[in-house]
Amino acid sequence: MSNIQISVKQGSKELFEIFRGTSIGILDLRTADCISKTSDILPTLSKLEKLHLWGTYTGYCALQLPASLHCIILQTGECSPDWLCSLLINLSELDHHVECELWNFVVQSRGEDCGTDSNIHISDLRSKLVSCDMSNIEIIVDNGSKELFKIFRDTTIGILKLKTADCVSHSSDILPTLSKLEKLYLWGTFTGHFDLQLPASLDCVSLQTGECSSEWLCSLLLKLTELHHAVRCELCDFLLQSRAEHCGADLNMHVSDLRSVLLALGMPNIIIQVNNGSRELFEIIRDTSIGILDLRTADCVSHSSNILPTLK
């Protein structure tokens, strides 16, 4: 049954008994009531790879997840901090790469919890989460709050994908605490100075889809030079805003100052990968000391022709 995706909006225990021991590949459960009624049969789905959840969840996440699971998607709903903590602990026990996607899922604030006992409980769960090996978990956040990102503070997440500029902003306080983070993927529109503190473990920043100002990209590259080890900066479908969109002479002077610092520091530890680049993008790296340049299209090669001989 690996070719069958089962979506259930209103299900009984008797309905879910039909699926017991089968090889369903994808299960999409539209209510918290459905989740409750699948609890007995879920660990028997030996080929289940994707689990979609909708609804409101509080208390401890007591789901037994099948060893085959590779992706859990929290679609639309809300949950308490202790529910999300315990879900992540369960995922860390799978001992293989697994994606946890949070789309339109809200983490309830501590004020909605039930007093001192609840706060002690979440503190105990967070301590357990911090001690877990979460390097096998890839976190993808489409709509996240500061409360959500606090759950990840000091954990050993290996890959973090932030789908909006708001997510990037909300994660700024916890990002430097992710001591095992290796890959950071960003989407969105970014201007001004790149102010994120990057963890020393980082070896790849991937700019997926969006746009940024020259100032933002220059200051990102400066941050990457401070890591003092080989780090890849991937520009996939990311556009550089034209200088005409900026705010006059002062900003252009600021970008020029940033480029001067970039040239002075050197960039031999940075690998630049460009999938879709403009001439203005390549001007940012003119005269720098990049050691490796990875150009993914013939257009990129053409746009880099003027600056290529300056990369000494």
Side-chain angles (χ1 to χ4, degrees):
M1 293 176 63
S2 58
N3 63 319
I4 300 178
Q5 175 174 330
I6 304 285
S7 249
V8 186
K9 187 170 182 180
Q10 185 177 340
S12 62
K13 281 189 176 287
E14 192 165 37
L15 168 67
F16 289 110
E17 279 298 323
I18 303 290
F19 309 140
R20 179 181 290 277
T22 61
S23 54
I24 295 166
I26 301 175
L27 187 57
D28 182 356
L29 303 175
R30 295 297 176 108
T31 64
D33 194 45
C34 285
I35 301 294
S36 173
K37 286 169 180 167
T38 62
S39 58
D40 290 342
I41 67 100
L42 201 58
T44 76
L45 305 179
S46 61
K47 298 297 175 84
L48 188 72
E49 293 194 351
K50 283 189 180 177
L51 178 62
H52 297 249
L53 303 185
W54 311 62
T56 299
Y57 304 93
T58 56
Y60 190 83
C61 176
L63 290 178
Q64 281 185 275
L65 302 173
S68 56
L69 196 72
H70 280 87
C71 181
I72 190 162
I73 303 170
L74 307 182
Q75 293 278 357
T76 300
E78 61 181 78
C79 66
S80 61
D82 50 339
W83 187 88
L84 183 56
C85 272
S86 49
L87 170 65
L88 293 170
I89 290 167
N90 287 345
L91 291 178
S92 71
E93 293 169 357
L94 291 177
D95 293 326
H96 61 246
H97 181 84
V98 59
E99 293 178 5
C100 180
E101 303 184 12
L102 297 109
W103 292 101
N104 195 22
F105 228 78
V106 176
V107 174
Q108 297 163 352
S109 69
R110 294 291 177 85
E112 297 172 55
D113 291 340
C114 306
T116 305
D117 288 346
S118 180
N119 285 330
I120 290 171
H121 183 54
I122 183 63
S123 178
D124 290 344
L125 279 171
R126 280 216 73 258
S127 296
K128 185 175 179 182
L129 187 63
V130 168
S131 68
C132 282
D133 180 5
M134 290 178 64
S135 58
N136 64 313
I137 301 179
E138 177 178 325
I139 302 283
I140 301 166
V141 186
D142 190 64
N143 183 12
S145 62
K146 283 189 178 288
E147 190 80 12
L148 166 66
F149 286 107
K150 280 180 185 175
I151 303 289
F152 308 140
R153 179 182 291 277
D154 296 314
T155 60
T156 55
I157 296 165
I159 299 174
L160 184 59
K161 295 184 175 180
L162 304 175
K163 293 281 188 152
T164 65
D166 268 354
C167 285
V168 176
S169 172
H170 290 323
S171 71
S172 59
D173 289 342
I174 66 98
L175 203 58
T177 76
L178 305 180
S179 60
K180 297 296 176 81
L181 188 72
E182 293 188 351
K183 290 185 169 62
L184 177 64
Y185 293 75
L186 305 181
W187 283 255
T189 298
F190 302 95
T191 56
H193 200 80
F194 180 89
D195 290 324
L196 293 179
Q197 282 184 271
L198 300 175
S201 55
L202 198 71
D203 61 26
C204 179
V205 172
S206 187
L207 309 181
Q208 291 288 313
T209 303
E211 59 180 71
C212 66
S213 63
S214 300
E215 177 190 6
W216 188 87
L217 183 57
C218 276
S219 49
L220 165 63
L221 293 172
L222 282 172
K223 288 282 187 183
L224 295 181
T225 63
E226 294 169 3
L227 293 178
H228 302 301
H229 61 249
V231 58
R232 179 178 286 268
C233 180
E234 299 176 353
L235 296 113
C236 297
D237 195 16
F238 228 78
L239 302 178
L240 192 71
Q241 297 167 350
S242 67
R243 293 291 177 87
E245 296 175 54
H246 295 163
C247 307
D250 287 347
L251 185 52
N252 284 332
M253 189 176 295
H254 184 52
V255 173
S256 179
D257 290 343
L258 283 170
R259 279 205 74 254
S260 297
V261 176
L262 204 55
L263 295 180
L265 284 178
M267 296 169 61
N269 65 315
I270 300 180
I271 302 160
I272 303 280
Q273 175 187 315
V274 187
N275 292 27
N276 182 12
S278 62
R279 286 187 184 278
E280 191 160 41
L281 168 66
F282 287 107
E283 281 297 321
I284 299 288
I285 57 177
R286 177 184 288 276
D287 295 315
T288 59
S289 54
I290 293 166
I292 300 175
L293 186 58
D294 184 352
L295 305 177
R296 295 295 173 107
T297 65
D299 267 354
C300 286
V301 176
S302 172
H303 290 323
S304 70
S305 59
N306 288 335
I307 67 98
L308 205 56
T310 75
L311 305 180
K312 59 184 182 296

